[in-house]
Amino acid sequence: MNFAHFINVTKTVYQLACNRRTSRSIEASRELERYVNQLSFDEIKFIQIIMYLGRETTDEDRLKYSNKELFESQQRYLEKKSWSIRELEADHIVAKMPLDEYLEKGLGIAGSLNIQLDYYNDLDTKKDNLKVEEGAVFMSKYSRIQKMDANFVDSYLAKGWELIDTTKELSSYGETTITYHMGYPTNSYIADLKGIIQKYEQLGLFEELKKRLCEKEGLDPQGLREESFYLGNPPKSEAVNFLNHYVNVINNEKGNYIYDDPANKKKEESKIKETAPVTVNEDNLPF
C-alpha cells in the first residue's frame, strides 16, 4: 500500500462525513460508521493523522513549517501514544462531529504531498493478521465494553469494571469533553454467572433441573444417581450427559452421573424371587 491509497481512503471518509453533516440523517451516520469500521487498523491510524493534522495545525505552523514537516511531525506524535484496539480507534474518528472540517484542512496539508512513506509500504499479510489476533485477545478479556462520562466512572470501578481508554472530543461550542471506555472482565462475568447458579442450587432448583431433564426424556428420576467413581461406558442419555457437563463446568469436577431404569431393577428382583430355592421342614414329612 502506498501513500496515495491512504489519501484516497481518507477522502472517502471525508465525503461521508460531509454527507452526515449536510443531511443530518441517521442513515448517513450509519453509512460513515460502517465504512470506517471495515477499514484496516493502519488505515484508521492514517485517518487520525490527517484528522489531528487538520485540527491542531495553526496558521503560524503553516508559515513556519513545510507540509511534509507538519505531516511527519503529527505522525511521530501519534505513533508515540498508546494505540487502543482498532474498534475503539474507529469509534474515536466517527465520534468527531466536525470530522469533515478536520479532514478538509488536513487533506489540504497532506493531500498535495506526492510521497510514499516506508511505514505504510512495509505492510504485509502477516502484520495484518497479527493486529486482528491482538484485537481478538483484547475483546476476549472483556465481556462488555461501554462508553460514559466522568460521573459514572467511580461507580463502575467499584463494581469491578476496568478503565480501558479515554478519548477527547471537541464540541461545536469549542468545549473539550472526555469519554471514558470501560470494560467488564470476562472472568468477573463468569464468576457472576456461577454465583447466580449456586444460589439457584441452594433453593433446590438443581433437583428440579434433574427432574425436568428426566421428564423431557421420559426417564424415571428415581433411576438417576451419581457415583463417586465411574468407569463404565459413556451414558447414552441426553439428560445424564448434560448433568455430567454441568458438574464439569460449574464445579470444575468430573461428572459421574449414571442412570439405572428402576423398572429393570424390579424385574431382576422379581426373577430372583421366582428362582429362590424351596426349603422343606423334614419333621412335617409323612414318611
Side-chain angles (χ1 to χ4, degrees), residues 58-152:
T58 65
D59 293 337
E60 292 181 357
D61 293 333
R62 296 291 300 273
L63 294 173
K64 188 175 181 180
Y65 303 101
S66 69
N67 288 349
K68 184 176 180 180
E69 289 173 331
L70 291 171
F71 177 87
E72 292 179 340
S73 175
Q74 189 64 52
Q75 179 195 5
R76 287 193 299 270
Y77 172 76
L78 289 178
E79 285 303 319
K80 287 181 180 179
K81 89 178 187 74
S82 178
W83 291 101
S84 182
I85 63 170
R86 185 183 67 85
E87 290 79 5
L88 289 181
E89 297 297 349
D91 288 344
H92 191 45
I93 294 172
V94 175
K96 298 289 187 294
M97 297 312 295
L99 178 61
D100 57 317
E101 298 176 9
Y102 299 156
L103 293 181
E104 181 177 7
K105 186 176 179 180
L107 286 167
I109 298 172
S112 60
L113 300 177
N114 186 20
I115 61 175
Q116 290 189 341
L117 305 179
D118 291 339
Y119 176 81
Y120 296 103
N121 290 332
D122 292 338
L123 299 177
D124 53 31
T125 304
K126 183 177 180 180
K127 182 179 178 182
D128 287 340
N129 291 339
L130 180 60
K131 292 297 182 182
V132 172
E133 291 174 4
E134 289 175 351
V137 170
F138 180 88
M139 293 304 293
S140 67
K141 184 179 179 181
Y142 299 102
S143 63
R144 295 171 61 193
I145 294 177
Q146 287 188 204
K147 295 186 289 185
M148 63 193 67
D149 60 34
N151 295 328
F152 300 96

Side-chain angles (χ1 to χ4, degrees), residues 246-261:
Y246 177 99
V247 172
N248 179 258
V249 172
I250 302 302
N251 301 326
N252 198 26
E253 298 176 356
K254 182 176 176 58
N256 291 314
Y257 275 95
I258 62 173
Y259 179 78
D260 286 334
D261 193 339

